[in-house]
Amino acid sequence: MSKQTTLLDPIPLRAQFPALQREVNGRTAVYMDGPGGTQSPQSVIDAMGAYLAYGSSNLGGPFDTSRHAVAVNAAARAAMADFLNASPDEIAFGQNMTSMTFSVSRAIARTWRAGDEIVLTRIDHDANISPWLLAAEDRGVTVRWLDINPADCTLELDKLPELLNEHTRLLAITYASNAVGTINDVAHAVKMAQAVGAWTYVDAVHYAPHGLLDVKALDCDFLVCSVYKFFGPHTGVLYGKREHLENLTAYKVRPAPASGPGKWETGTQSFESLAGVTAAIEYLAEIGGPEGTRRERLVRAMERTQAYEVALSLHFLQGATAVPGLKIYGITDVERLDERAPTFALSLEGFTPQAVATYLGEQGIFVWAGHYYAIAIMERLGLLEKGGLVRIGFAHYTTIQEVDSVLEALKQFSESANSLKS
Ligand SMILES: Cc1ncc(COP(=O)(O)O)c(C=O)c1O
């Protein structure tokens, strides 16, 4: 983080989010379900409404509203290119990350032969596992697994070289875990994969709201994310190196573009969502201040976000020691907070994760319970059949007071049950 960075103040930002003003049972709602989806500022809501109000159209018509749809489309591609440090023609949109991954994995798998190998990880969301497992089955390809260290839920990246060889075609790896929050050293993983000529497919869905993405620096072959996880609408985004997007054969209808990113966009896109994508990126860029290009503003915005979220994580971890029976999975060493997102998977002794989430929900605190589709890591931790874990996730609009309120609620719940027992 640069020395000039001032710590982010969530209060003026929160005022822009109508959903953050919601009351539940007489209390202001506390949104700690960001890993499942974040809220949107008014500017995103307005941009989506404005697109529809202007007049909807498909692309390519010789009239005003169609030209408008083309412009909205191009603006969203440019905005996402700034967010990822890519070129607009390397950005494709789709329904969500899962659908896009199923589609691209089929196209990539067409180039595989029996005897080829791929590497998957036990820390990934199932959306970056099942599409590859099915593709591997179709093509007679061997799947190798990169394991985690259960003590701190970090990926055993030092074991990756043992799994890679001249037959490896692909490494599918998440940037950050949507369950335990671990941030993986993806740049290092990409280098190791490149050393044997394997491609890398990076799931940046969970990382995107928490840190800077830079596909050029990573040099990954593909990267996917979902705008509803970073304050925008439900739209999936695929980055692919230009040569891959051009050379691979897409599953598409014949009249669809044969080249360019449109080749990877099946059917008609949600143009109102694309208007919202641009507004979400503009919202984030504003956090980085007025100076410089949009990319430079985004770089500063994500630095500020990361620094602020580390402060939230520190506060949470320090306060968590006072909650009886609370066990946090993943990195808890406060010296290593830059290795994790502010997403905490935890258990409370004597309660099911569902009971904890339900209790918090009654207090107006929104958290998740279960496996959140991160089934490989839940299985590895022996928790899949036991109801998984509670997941508490912070975003840049979370306040220290909200962190205190969830800690207090957890403490009360734990103590109330303990007092019933005695
Ligand atoms: C890490 C991660 N990857 C992939 C996905 C799937 O994203 P989508 O809902 O866009 O398909 C999620 C959704 O929660 C996620 O957290």
PDB file of all heavy atoms in Angstrom, residues 35-37 95-100 123-128 174-179 203-207 225-229 234-236 372-373 391, ligand 1:
ATOM      1  N   PRO A  35     -20.062 -12.216   0.628  1.00  0.00           N
ATOM      2  CA  PRO A  35     -19.502 -13.290  -0.213  1.00  0.00           C
ATOM      3  C   PRO A  35     -20.568 -13.954  -1.086  1.00  0.00           C
ATOM      4  O   PRO A  35     -20.248 -14.552  -2.109  1.00  0.00           O
ATOM      5  CB  PRO A  35     -18.929 -14.280   0.817  1.00  0.00           C
ATOM      6  CG  PRO A  35     -18.636 -13.437   2.016  1.00  0.00           C
ATOM      7  CD  PRO A  35     -19.720 -12.390   2.048  1.00  0.00           C
ATOM      8  N   GLY A  36     -21.833 -13.866  -0.670  1.00  0.00           N
ATOM      9  CA  GLY A  36     -22.916 -14.406  -1.486  1.00  0.00           C
ATOM     10  C   GLY A  36     -23.453 -13.371  -2.462  1.00  0.00           C
ATOM     11  O   GLY A  36     -24.198 -13.701  -3.384  1.00  0.00           O
ATOM     12  N   GLY A  37     -23.113 -12.127  -2.258  1.00  0.00           N
ATOM     13  CA  GLY A  37     -23.585 -11.041  -3.122  1.00  0.00           C
ATOM     14  C   GLY A  37     -23.625  -9.742  -2.340  1.00  0.00           C
ATOM     15  O   GLY A  37     -24.098  -9.720  -1.200  1.00  0.00           O
ATOM     16  N   GLN A  95     -24.208 -14.799 -18.283  1.00  0.00           N
ATOM     17  CA  GLN A  95     -25.193 -14.801 -17.198  1.00  0.00           C
ATOM     18  C   GLN A  95     -24.530 -14.750 -15.820  1.00  0.00           C
ATOM     19  O   GLN A  95     -24.952 -14.008 -14.949  1.00  0.00           O
ATOM     20  CB  GLN A  95     -26.040 -16.061 -17.333  1.00  0.00           C
ATOM     21  CG  GLN A  95     -27.267 -16.039 -16.460  1.00  0.00           C
ATOM     22  CD  GLN A  95     -28.056 -17.319 -16.580  1.00  0.00           C
ATOM     23  OE1 GLN A  95     -27.730 -18.198 -17.387  1.00  0.00           O
ATOM     24  NE2 GLN A  95     -29.085 -17.446 -15.788  1.00  0.00           N
ATOM     25  N   ASN A  96     -23.520 -15.541 -15.627  1.00  0.00           N
ATOM     26  CA  ASN A  96     -22.789 -15.579 -14.351  1.00  0.00           C
ATOM     27  C   ASN A  96     -21.504 -16.365 -14.577  1.00  0.00           C
ATOM     28  O   ASN A  96     -21.285 -16.906 -15.661  1.00  0.00           O
ATOM     29  CB  ASN A  96     -23.644 -16.223 -13.239  1.00  0.00           C
ATOM     30  CG  ASN A  96     -24.261 -17.529 -13.687  1.00  0.00           C
ATOM     31  OD1 ASN A  96     -23.562 -18.390 -14.210  1.00  0.00           O
ATOM     32  ND2 ASN A  96     -25.552 -17.673 -13.528  1.00  0.00           N
ATOM     33  N   MET A  97     -20.674 -16.429 -13.532  1.00  0.00           N
ATOM     34  CA  MET A  97     -19.384 -17.116 -13.685  1.00  0.00           C
ATOM     35  C   MET A  97     -19.591 -18.585 -14.008  1.00  0.00           C
ATOM     36  O   MET A  97     -18.872 -19.173 -14.832  1.00  0.00           O
ATOM     37  CB  MET A  97     -18.577 -16.942 -12.391  1.00  0.00           C
ATOM     38  CG  MET A  97     -17.251 -17.653 -12.360  1.00  0.00           C
ATOM     39  SD  MET A  97     -17.450 -19.388 -11.840  1.00  0.00           S
ATOM     40  CE  MET A  97     -15.771 -19.913 -11.742  1.00  0.00           C
ATOM     41  N   THR A  98     -20.576 -19.223 -13.348  1.00  0.00           N
ATOM     42  CA  THR A  98     -20.763 -20.665 -13.524  1.00  0.00           C
ATOM     43  C   THR A  98     -21.099 -21.003 -14.977  1.00  0.00           C
ATOM     44  O   THR A  98     -20.488 -21.896 -15.580  1.00  0.00           O
ATOM     45  CB  THR A  98     -21.872 -21.179 -12.582  1.00  0.00           C
ATOM     46  OG1 THR A  98     -21.560 -20.782 -11.244  1.00  0.00           O
ATOM     47  CG2 THR A  98     -22.010 -22.683 -12.643  1.00  0.00           C
ATOM     48  N   SER A  99     -22.072 -20.279 -15.552  1.00  0.00           N
ATOM     49  CA  SER A  99     -22.471 -20.573 -16.938  1.00  0.00           C
ATOM     50  C   SER A  99     -21.303 -20.336 -17.884  1.00  0.00           C
ATOM     51  O   SER A  99     -21.094 -21.107 -18.825  1.00  0.00           O
ATOM     52  CB  SER A  99     -23.607 -19.672 -17.406  1.00  0.00           C
ATOM     53  OG  SER A  99     -24.527 -19.483 -16.421  1.00  0.00           O
ATOM     54  N   MET A 100     -20.564 -19.258 -17.651  1.00  0.00           N
ATOM     55  CA  MET A 100     -19.458 -18.951 -18.566  1.00  0.00           C
ATOM     56  C   MET A 100     -18.370 -20.018 -18.461  1.00  0.00           C
ATOM     57  O   MET A 100     -17.768 -20.409 -19.456  1.00  0.00           O
ATOM     58  CB  MET A 100     -18.892 -17.560 -18.283  1.00  0.00           C
ATOM     59  CG  MET A 100     -19.931 -16.473 -18.495  1.00  0.00           C
ATOM     60  SD  MET A 100     -19.230 -14.829 -18.608  1.00  0.00           S
ATOM     61  CE  MET A 100     -18.873 -14.728 -20.358  1.00  0.00           C
ATOM     62  N   ILE A 123      -9.571 -26.079  -2.593  1.00  0.00           N
ATOM     63  CA  ILE A 123     -10.036 -24.835  -1.960  1.00  0.00           C
ATOM     64  C   ILE A 123     -11.028 -24.111  -2.859  1.00  0.00           C
ATOM     65  O   ILE A 123     -11.654 -23.134  -2.444  1.00  0.00           O
ATOM     66  CB  ILE A 123      -8.832 -23.930  -1.586  1.00  0.00           C
ATOM     67  CG1 ILE A 123      -9.208 -22.997  -0.429  1.00  0.00           C
ATOM     68  CG2 ILE A 123      -8.327 -23.134  -2.782  1.00  0.00           C
ATOM     69  CD1 ILE A 123      -8.038 -22.288   0.212  1.00  0.00           C
ATOM     70  N   ASP A 124     -11.218 -24.602  -4.078  1.00  0.00           N
ATOM     71  CA  ASP A 124     -12.066 -23.872  -5.026  1.00  0.00           C
ATOM     72  C   ASP A 124     -13.567 -24.053  -4.763  1.00  0.00           C
ATOM     73  O   ASP A 124     -14.007 -25.078  -4.249  1.00  0.00           O
ATOM     74  CB  ASP A 124     -11.758 -24.339  -6.455  1.00  0.00           C
ATOM     75  CG  ASP A 124     -10.670 -23.491  -7.093  1.00  0.00           C
ATOM     76  OD1 ASP A 124      -9.473 -23.710  -6.811  1.00  0.00           O
ATOM     77  OD2 ASP A 124     -11.046 -22.566  -7.849  1.00  0.00           O
ATOM     78  N   HIS A 125     -14.313 -23.065  -5.169  1.00  0.00           N
ATOM     79  CA  HIS A 125     -15.781 -23.140  -5.266  1.00  0.00           C
ATOM     80  C   HIS A 125     -16.095 -24.191  -6.330  1.00  0.00           C
ATOM     81  O   HIS A 125     -15.341 -24.347  -7.289  1.00  0.00           O
ATOM     82  CB  HIS A 125     -16.287 -21.758  -5.691  1.00  0.00           C
ATOM     83  CG  HIS A 125     -17.773 -21.593  -5.776  1.00  0.00           C
ATOM     84  ND1 HIS A 125     -18.523 -22.119  -6.794  1.00  0.00           N
ATOM     85  CD2 HIS A 125     -18.642 -20.910  -4.987  1.00  0.00           C
ATOM     86  CE1 HIS A 125     -19.795 -21.784  -6.629  1.00  0.00           C
ATOM     87  NE2 HIS A 125     -19.900 -21.045  -5.536  1.00  0.00           N
ATOM     88  N   ASP A 126     -17.221 -24.864  -6.201  1.00  0.00           N
ATOM     89  CA  ASP A 126     -17.509 -25.944  -7.143  1.00  0.00           C
ATOM     90  C   ASP A 126     -17.680 -25.442  -8.586  1.00  0.00           C
ATOM     91  O   ASP A 126     -17.574 -26.243  -9.526  1.00  0.00           O
ATOM     92  CB  ASP A 126     -18.746 -26.740  -6.703  1.00  0.00           C
ATOM     93  CG  ASP A 126     -18.657 -28.173  -7.187  1.00  0.00           C
ATOM     94  OD1 ASP A 126     -17.645 -28.835  -6.885  1.00  0.00           O
ATOM     95  OD2 ASP A 126     -19.563 -28.615  -7.924  1.00  0.00           O
ATOM     96  N   ALA A 127     -17.917 -24.168  -8.757  1.00  0.00           N
ATOM     97  CA  ALA A 127     -18.055 -23.629 -10.123  1.00  0.00           C
ATOM     98  C   ALA A 127     -16.726 -23.657 -10.881  1.00  0.00           C
ATOM     99  O   ALA A 127     -16.714 -23.534 -12.110  1.00  0.00           O
ATOM    100  CB  ALA A 127     -18.579 -22.195 -10.076  1.00  0.00           C
ATOM    101  N   ASN A 128     -15.618 -23.821 -10.152  1.00  0.00           N
ATOM    102  CA  ASN A 128     -14.320 -23.969 -10.824  1.00  0.00           C
ATOM    103  C   ASN A 128     -13.791 -25.391 -10.651  1.00  0.00           C
ATOM    104  O   ASN A 128     -12.595 -25.639 -10.775  1.00  0.00           O
ATOM    105  CB  ASN A 128     -13.310 -22.946 -10.287  1.00  0.00           C
ATOM    106  CG  ASN A 128     -12.196 -22.647 -11.296  1.00  0.00           C
ATOM    107  OD1 ASN A 128     -12.379 -22.795 -12.509  1.00  0.00           O
ATOM    108  ND2 ASN A 128     -11.031 -22.233 -10.799  1.00  0.00           N
ATOM    109  N   THR A 174      -8.619 -20.872  -7.623  1.00  0.00           N
ATOM    110  CA  THR A 174      -9.311 -19.669  -7.158  1.00  0.00           C
ATOM    111  C   THR A 174      -8.306 -18.664  -6.606  1.00  0.00           C
ATOM    112  O   THR A 174      -7.287 -19.041  -6.021  1.00  0.00           O
ATOM    113  CB  THR A 174     -10.379 -20.018  -6.097  1.00  0.00           C
ATOM    114  OG1 THR A 174     -11.222 -18.887  -5.936  1.00  0.00           O
ATOM    115  CG2 THR A 174      -9.785 -20.373  -4.753  1.00  0.00           C
ATOM    116  N   TYR A 175      -8.641 -17.391  -6.794  1.00  0.00           N
ATOM    117  CA  TYR A 175      -7.771 -16.329  -6.267  1.00  0.00           C
ATOM    118  C   TYR A 175      -7.942 -16.221  -4.753  1.00  0.00           C
ATOM    119  O   TYR A 175      -6.979 -16.061  -4.009  1.00  0.00           O
ATOM    120  CB  TYR A 175      -8.141 -14.997  -6.940  1.00  0.00           C
ATOM    121  CG  TYR A 175      -7.017 -14.007  -7.050  1.00  0.00           C
ATOM    122  CD1 TYR A 175      -6.826 -13.293  -8.222  1.00  0.00           C
ATOM    123  CD2 TYR A 175      -6.150 -13.768  -5.996  1.00  0.00           C
ATOM    124  CE1 TYR A 175      -5.797 -12.374  -8.340  1.00  0.00           C
ATOM    125  CE2 TYR A 175      -5.124 -12.849  -6.105  1.00  0.00           C
ATOM    126  CZ  TYR A 175      -4.954 -12.157  -7.278  1.00  0.00           C
ATOM    127  OH  TYR A 175      -3.942 -11.250  -7.396  1.00  0.00           O
ATOM    128  N   ALA A 176      -9.222 -16.340  -4.324  1.00  0.00           N
ATOM    129  CA  ALA A 176      -9.497 -16.320  -2.877  1.00  0.00           C
ATOM    130  C   ALA A 176     -10.657 -17.255  -2.597  1.00  0.00           C
ATOM    131  O   ALA A 176     -11.575 -17.383  -3.412  1.00  0.00           O
ATOM    132  CB  ALA A 176      -9.826 -14.908  -2.415  1.00  0.00           C
ATOM    133  N   SER A 177     -10.611 -17.882  -1.424  1.00  0.00           N
ATOM    134  CA  SER A 177     -11.658 -18.840  -1.058  1.00  0.00           C
ATOM    135  C   SER A 177     -12.909 -18.118  -0.579  1.00  0.00           C
ATOM    136  O   SER A 177     -12.832 -17.257   0.306  1.00  0.00           O
ATOM    137  CB  SER A 177     -11.149 -19.757   0.054  1.00  0.00           C
ATOM    138  OG  SER A 177     -12.236 -20.349   0.734  1.00  0.00           O
ATOM    139  N   ASN A 178     -14.058 -18.501  -1.129  1.00  0.00           N
ATOM    140  CA  ASN A 178     -15.322 -17.901  -0.690  1.00  0.00           C
ATOM    141  C   ASN A 178     -15.796 -18.497   0.630  1.00  0.00           C
ATOM    142  O   ASN A 178     -16.823 -18.085   1.150  1.00  0.00           O
ATOM    143  CB  ASN A 178     -16.413 -18.084  -1.758  1.00  0.00           C
ATOM    144  CG  ASN A 178     -16.849 -19.532  -1.878  1.00  0.00           C
ATOM    145  OD1 ASN A 178     -16.027 -20.429  -1.976  1.00  0.00           O
ATOM    146  ND2 ASN A 178     -18.149 -19.777  -1.862  1.00  0.00           N
ATOM    147  N   ALA A 179     -15.044 -19.481   1.155  1.00  0.00           N
ATOM    148  CA  ALA A 179     -15.420 -20.087   2.433  1.00  0.00           C
ATOM    149  C   ALA A 179     -14.525 -19.563   3.556  1.00  0.00           C
ATOM    150  O   ALA A 179     -15.001 -18.902   4.478  1.00  0.00           O
ATOM    151  CB  ALA A 179     -15.321 -21.597   2.339  1.00  0.00           C
ATOM    152  N   ASP A 203     -10.361 -18.248 -10.912  1.00  0.00           N
ATOM    153  CA  ASP A 203     -11.668 -17.824 -10.401  1.00  0.00           C
ATOM    154  C   ASP A 203     -11.429 -16.640  -9.454  1.00  0.00           C
ATOM    155  O   ASP A 203     -10.952 -16.818  -8.334  1.00  0.00           O
ATOM    156  CB  ASP A 203     -12.327 -18.993  -9.654  1.00  0.00           C
ATOM    157  CG  ASP A 203     -13.625 -18.581  -8.970  1.00  0.00           C
ATOM    158  OD1 ASP A 203     -14.012 -17.388  -9.052  1.00  0.00           O
ATOM    159  OD2 ASP A 203     -14.251 -19.454  -8.344  1.00  0.00           O
ATOM    160  N   ALA A 204     -11.775 -15.442  -9.931  1.00  0.00           N
ATOM    161  CA  ALA A 204     -11.553 -14.240  -9.112  1.00  0.00           C
ATOM    162  C   ALA A 204     -12.863 -13.720  -8.519  1.00  0.00           C
ATOM    163  O   ALA A 204     -12.943 -12.576  -8.082  1.00  0.00           O
ATOM    164  CB  ALA A 204     -10.890 -13.150  -9.949  1.00  0.00           C
ATOM    165  N   VAL A 205     -13.885 -14.587  -8.483  1.00  0.00           N
ATOM    166  CA  VAL A 205     -15.196 -14.129  -8.007  1.00  0.00           C
ATOM    167  C   VAL A 205     -15.101 -13.610  -6.574  1.00  0.00           C
ATOM    168  O   VAL A 205     -15.606 -12.534  -6.259  1.00  0.00           O
ATOM    169  CB  VAL A 205     -16.254 -15.258  -8.114  1.00  0.00           C
ATOM    170  CG1 VAL A 205     -17.554 -14.842  -7.445  1.00  0.00           C
ATOM    171  CG2 VAL A 205     -16.510 -15.615  -9.568  1.00  0.00           C
ATOM    172  N   HIS A 206     -14.452 -14.372  -5.708  1.00  0.00           N
ATOM    173  CA  HIS A 206     -14.424 -13.923  -4.309  1.00  0.00           C
ATOM    174  C   HIS A 206     -13.399 -12.813  -4.078  1.00  0.00           C
ATOM    175  O   HIS A 206     -13.607 -11.937  -3.230  1.00  0.00           O
ATOM    176  CB  HIS A 206     -14.151 -15.092  -3.348  1.00  0.00           C
ATOM    177  CG  HIS A 206     -14.342 -14.675  -1.928  1.00  0.00           C
ATOM    178  ND1 HIS A 206     -15.573 -14.325  -1.431  1.00  0.00           N
ATOM    179  CD2 HIS A 206     -13.464 -14.459  -0.926  1.00  0.00           C
ATOM    180  CE1 HIS A 206     -15.450 -13.932  -0.181  1.00  0.00           C
ATOM    181  NE2 HIS A 206     -14.173 -14.002   0.150  1.00  0.00           N
ATOM    182  N   TYR A 207     -12.332 -12.825  -4.832  1.00  0.00           N
ATOM    183  CA  TYR A 207     -11.268 -11.837  -4.605  1.00  0.00           C
ATOM    184  C   TYR A 207     -11.669 -10.436  -5.083  1.00  0.00           C
ATOM    185  O   TYR A 207     -11.268  -9.425  -4.485  1.00  0.00           O
ATOM    186  CB  TYR A 207      -9.996 -12.289  -5.342  1.00  0.00           C
ATOM    187  CG  TYR A 207      -8.798 -11.412  -5.063  1.00  0.00           C
ATOM    188  CD1 TYR A 207      -8.116 -11.491  -3.852  1.00  0.00           C
ATOM    189  CD2 TYR A 207      -8.349 -10.493  -6.006  1.00  0.00           C
ATOM    190  CE1 TYR A 207      -7.027 -10.683  -3.592  1.00  0.00           C
ATOM    191  CE2 TYR A 207      -7.258  -9.677  -5.753  1.00  0.00           C
ATOM    192  CZ  TYR A 207      -6.602  -9.783  -4.540  1.00  0.00           C
ATOM    193  OH  TYR A 207      -5.528  -8.981  -4.272  1.00  0.00           O
ATOM    194  N   CYS A 225     -15.010 -13.434 -13.171  1.00  0.00           N
ATOM    195  CA  CYS A 225     -15.564 -12.825 -11.967  1.00  0.00           C
ATOM    196  C   CYS A 225     -17.036 -12.510 -12.205  1.00  0.00           C
ATOM    197  O   CYS A 225     -17.552 -12.720 -13.306  1.00  0.00           O
ATOM    198  CB  CYS A 225     -14.771 -11.597 -11.529  1.00  0.00           C
ATOM    199  SG  CYS A 225     -14.643 -10.318 -12.766  1.00  0.00           S
ATOM    200  N   SER A 226     -17.695 -12.027 -11.168  1.00  0.00           N
ATOM    201  CA  SER A 226     -19.142 -11.805 -11.205  1.00  0.00           C
ATOM    202  C   SER A 226     -19.431 -10.454 -10.591  1.00  0.00           C
ATOM    203  O   SER A 226     -19.088 -10.220  -9.425  1.00  0.00           O
ATOM    204  CB  SER A 226     -19.845 -12.882 -10.374  1.00  0.00           C
ATOM    205  OG  SER A 226     -20.381 -13.863 -11.200  1.00  0.00           O
ATOM    206  N   VAL A 227     -20.123  -9.594 -11.341  1.00  0.00           N
ATOM    207  CA  VAL A 227     -20.235  -8.193 -10.912  1.00  0.00           C
ATOM    208  C   VAL A 227     -21.131  -8.026  -9.682  1.00  0.00           C
ATOM    209  O   VAL A 227     -20.980  -7.059  -8.941  1.00  0.00           O
ATOM    210  CB  VAL A 227     -20.692  -7.306 -12.091  1.00  0.00           C
ATOM    211  CG1 VAL A 227     -20.566  -5.828 -11.754  1.00  0.00           C
ATOM    212  CG2 VAL A 227     -19.863  -7.599 -13.340  1.00  0.00           C
ATOM    213  N   TYR A 228     -22.024  -9.000  -9.445  1.00  0.00           N
ATOM    214  CA  TYR A 228     -22.888  -8.852  -8.255  1.00  0.00           C
ATOM    215  C   TYR A 228     -22.111  -9.047  -6.955  1.00  0.00           C
ATOM    216  O   TYR A 228     -22.630  -8.780  -5.878  1.00  0.00           O
ATOM    217  CB  TYR A 228     -24.098  -9.798  -8.326  1.00  0.00           C
ATOM    218  CG  TYR A 228     -23.837 -11.263  -8.074  1.00  0.00           C
ATOM    219  CD1 TYR A 228     -24.062 -11.827  -6.820  1.00  0.00           C
ATOM    220  CD2 TYR A 228     -23.401 -12.108  -9.083  1.00  0.00           C
ATOM    221  CE1 TYR A 228     -23.854 -13.177  -6.579  1.00  0.00           C
ATOM    222  CE2 TYR A 228     -23.183 -13.458  -8.863  1.00  0.00           C
ATOM    223  CZ  TYR A 228     -23.414 -13.979  -7.612  1.00  0.00           C
ATOM    224  OH  TYR A 228     -23.201 -15.332  -7.383  1.00  0.00           O
ATOM    225  N   LYS A 229     -20.858  -9.499  -7.051  1.00  0.00           N
ATOM    226  CA  LYS A 229     -20.029  -9.615  -5.848  1.00  0.00           C
ATOM    227  C   LYS A 229     -19.255  -8.324  -5.597  1.00  0.00           C
ATOM    228  O   LYS A 229     -18.602  -8.178  -4.579  1.00  0.00           O
ATOM    229  CB  LYS A 229     -19.015 -10.755  -5.985  1.00  0.00           C
ATOM    230  CG  LYS A 229     -19.599 -12.091  -6.381  1.00  0.00           C
ATOM    231  CD  LYS A 229     -20.274 -12.817  -5.257  1.00  0.00           C
ATOM    232  CE  LYS A 229     -20.627 -14.236  -5.707  1.00  0.00           C
ATOM    233  NZ  LYS A 229     -21.276 -15.027  -4.682  1.00  0.00           N
ATOM    234  N   HIS A 234     -26.218  -8.703 -11.586  1.00  0.00           N
ATOM    235  CA  HIS A 234     -25.906 -10.114 -11.813  1.00  0.00           C
ATOM    236  C   HIS A 234     -25.444 -10.334 -13.249  1.00  0.00           C
ATOM    237  O   HIS A 234     -26.255 -10.592 -14.143  1.00  0.00           O
ATOM    238  CB  HIS A 234     -27.123 -10.972 -11.467  1.00  0.00           C
ATOM    239  CG  HIS A 234     -27.405 -10.979 -10.004  1.00  0.00           C
ATOM    240  ND1 HIS A 234     -28.155 -10.014  -9.390  1.00  0.00           N
ATOM    241  CD2 HIS A 234     -26.994 -11.821  -9.024  1.00  0.00           C
ATOM    242  CE1 HIS A 234     -28.204 -10.265  -8.088  1.00  0.00           C
ATOM    243  NE2 HIS A 234     -27.505 -11.355  -7.838  1.00  0.00           N
ATOM    244  N   THR A 235     -24.160 -10.227 -13.443  1.00  0.00           N
ATOM    245  CA  THR A 235     -23.540 -10.439 -14.753  1.00  0.00           C
ATOM    246  C   THR A 235     -22.196 -11.122 -14.535  1.00  0.00           C
ATOM    247  O   THR A 235     -21.451 -10.733 -13.632  1.00  0.00           O
ATOM    248  CB  THR A 235     -23.313  -9.077 -15.460  1.00  0.00           C
ATOM    249  OG1 THR A 235     -24.583  -8.551 -15.826  1.00  0.00           O
ATOM    250  CG2 THR A 235     -22.476  -9.206 -16.711  1.00  0.00           C
ATOM    251  N   GLY A 236     -21.906 -12.119 -15.353  1.00  0.00           N
ATOM    252  CA  GLY A 236     -20.607 -12.785 -15.274  1.00  0.00           C
ATOM    253  C   GLY A 236     -19.640 -12.152 -16.269  1.00  0.00           C
ATOM    254  O   GLY A 236     -20.065 -11.630 -17.307  1.00  0.00           O
ATOM    255  N   TYR A 372     -21.854 -23.216   1.000  1.00  0.00           N
ATOM    256  CA  TYR A 372     -21.773 -22.139  -0.003  1.00  0.00           C
ATOM    257  C   TYR A 372     -21.069 -22.619  -1.283  1.00  0.00           C
ATOM    258  O   TYR A 372     -20.280 -21.895  -1.888  1.00  0.00           O
ATOM    259  CB  TYR A 372     -21.112 -20.853   0.540  1.00  0.00           C
ATOM    260  CG  TYR A 372     -20.590 -20.954   1.963  1.00  0.00           C
ATOM    261  CD1 TYR A 372     -19.250 -21.284   2.194  1.00  0.00           C
ATOM    262  CD2 TYR A 372     -21.422 -20.767   3.052  1.00  0.00           C
ATOM    263  CE1 TYR A 372     -18.777 -21.425   3.479  1.00  0.00           C
ATOM    264  CE2 TYR A 372     -20.958 -20.911   4.349  1.00  0.00           C
ATOM    265  CZ  TYR A 372     -19.644 -21.238   4.555  1.00  0.00           C
ATOM    266  OH  TYR A 372     -19.164 -21.386   5.824  1.00  0.00           O
ATOM    267  N   TYR A 373     -21.332 -23.847  -1.667  1.00  0.00           N
ATOM    268  CA  TYR A 373     -20.803 -24.485  -2.875  1.00  0.00           C
ATOM    269  C   TYR A 373     -19.294 -24.739  -2.805  1.00  0.00           C
ATOM    270  O   TYR A 373     -18.691 -25.174  -3.776  1.00  0.00           O
ATOM    271  CB  TYR A 373     -21.136 -23.684  -4.141  1.00  0.00           C
ATOM    272  CG  TYR A 373     -22.578 -23.804  -4.596  1.00  0.00           C
ATOM    273  CD1 TYR A 373     -23.615 -23.821  -3.676  1.00  0.00           C
ATOM    274  CD2 TYR A 373     -22.896 -23.911  -5.934  1.00  0.00           C
ATOM    275  CE1 TYR A 373     -24.939 -23.928  -4.069  1.00  0.00           C
ATOM    276  CE2 TYR A 373     -24.219 -24.026  -6.355  1.00  0.00           C
ATOM    277  CZ  TYR A 373     -25.236 -24.032  -5.403  1.00  0.00           C
ATOM    278  OH  TYR A 373     -26.548 -24.142  -5.811  1.00  0.00           O
ATOM    279  N   ARG A 391     -20.680 -18.497   7.853  1.00  0.00           N
ATOM    280  CA  ARG A 391     -19.756 -17.608   7.118  1.00  0.00           C
ATOM    281  C   ARG A 391     -20.145 -16.144   7.339  1.00  0.00           C
ATOM    282  O   ARG A 391     -21.260 -15.747   7.075  1.00  0.00           O
ATOM    283  CB  ARG A 391     -19.778 -17.907   5.629  1.00  0.00           C
ATOM    284  CG  ARG A 391     -18.818 -16.989   4.850  1.00  0.00           C
ATOM    285  CD  ARG A 391     -18.835 -17.279   3.373  1.00  0.00           C
ATOM    286  NE  ARG A 391     -20.108 -16.961   2.772  1.00  0.00           N
ATOM    287  CZ  ARG A 391     -20.425 -17.204   1.496  1.00  0.00           C
ATOM    288  NH1 ARG A 391     -19.541 -17.782   0.710  1.00  0.00           N
ATOM    289  NH2 ARG A 391     -21.604 -16.881   1.019  1.00  0.00           N
TER     290      ARG A 391
HETATM  291  C1  LIG B   1     -15.415 -18.148  -5.401  1.00  0.00           C
HETATM  292  C2  LIG B   1     -16.651 -18.278  -6.229  1.00  0.00           C
HETATM  293  N1  LIG B   1     -16.567 -18.777  -7.464  1.00  0.00           N
HETATM  294  C3  LIG B   1     -17.629 -18.919  -8.254  1.00  0.00           C
HETATM  295  C4  LIG B   1     -18.881 -18.543  -7.829  1.00  0.00           C
HETATM  296  C5  LIG B   1     -20.044 -18.699  -8.765  1.00  0.00           C
HETATM  297  O1  LIG B   1     -20.377 -17.441  -9.267  1.00  0.00           O
HETATM  298  P1  LIG B   1     -21.707 -17.203 -10.088  1.00  0.00           P
HETATM  299  O2  LIG B   1     -22.819 -17.068  -9.112  1.00  0.00           O
HETATM  300  O3  LIG B   1     -21.445 -15.935 -10.832  1.00  0.00           O
HETATM  301  O4  LIG B   1     -21.892 -18.345 -11.009  1.00  0.00           O
HETATM  302  C6  LIG B   1     -19.039 -18.027  -6.539  1.00  0.00           C
HETATM  303  C7  LIG B   1     -20.380 -17.661  -6.044  1.00  0.00           C
HETATM  304  O5  LIG B   1     -20.622 -17.584  -4.875  1.00  0.00           O
HETATM  305  C8  LIG B   1     -17.894 -17.875  -5.725  1.00  0.00           C
HETATM  306  O6  LIG B   1     -17.981 -17.366  -4.498  1.00  0.00           O
END
